[in-house]
Amino acid sequence: KGLSSIFIDEIHRIAKQKGASQISLKVYPENNIAIKLYKNIEYKFTKMEDKQLVGYFNIEDSKKVKK
């Protein structure tokens, strides 16, 4: 696992502990490496905002987030 994946996993874990049900983020469409990473982690990209893709991750539905 790369450092970015470890970092994101920790963010998800902390967000879940604090009661969050979803995380959203923005990424520029030309940032293919980040988009691939986020999609592998189960982020769904549904719209554009300020020339960026908006991604959502549902913490409650994911089995990847540890307690």
Side-chain angles (χ1 to χ4, degrees):
K1 238 181 184 183
L3 185 58
S4 57
S5 293
I6 293 168
F7 180 68
I8 292 171
D9 287 348
E10 184 66 7
I11 290 170
H12 291 169
R13 187 187 66 74
I14 292 168
K16 184 174 186 172
Q17 279 183 340
K18 294 192 176 276
S21 61
Q22 180 175 288
I23 294 176
S24 61
L25 57 79
K26 291 182 182 177
V27 62
Y28 287 103
E30 61 271 12
N31 192 344
N32 295 319
I33 293 171
I35 292 169
K36 182 178 177 182
L37 170 70
Y38 296 136
K39 284 184 175 181
N40 283 339
I41 298 172
E42 300 177 351
Y43 275 79
K44 306 292 183 226
F45 292 92
T46 58
K47 65 181 181 178
M48 292 282 287
E49 190 175 288
D50 301 323
K51 298 183 181 178
Q52 296 178 333
L53 292 167
V54 179
Y56 297 94
F57 178 80
N58 191 329
I59 294 172
E60 293 177 347
D61 291 345
S62 179
K63 294 178 180 149
K64 292 183 178 184
V65 179
K66 296 177 180 140
K67 293 182 179 182

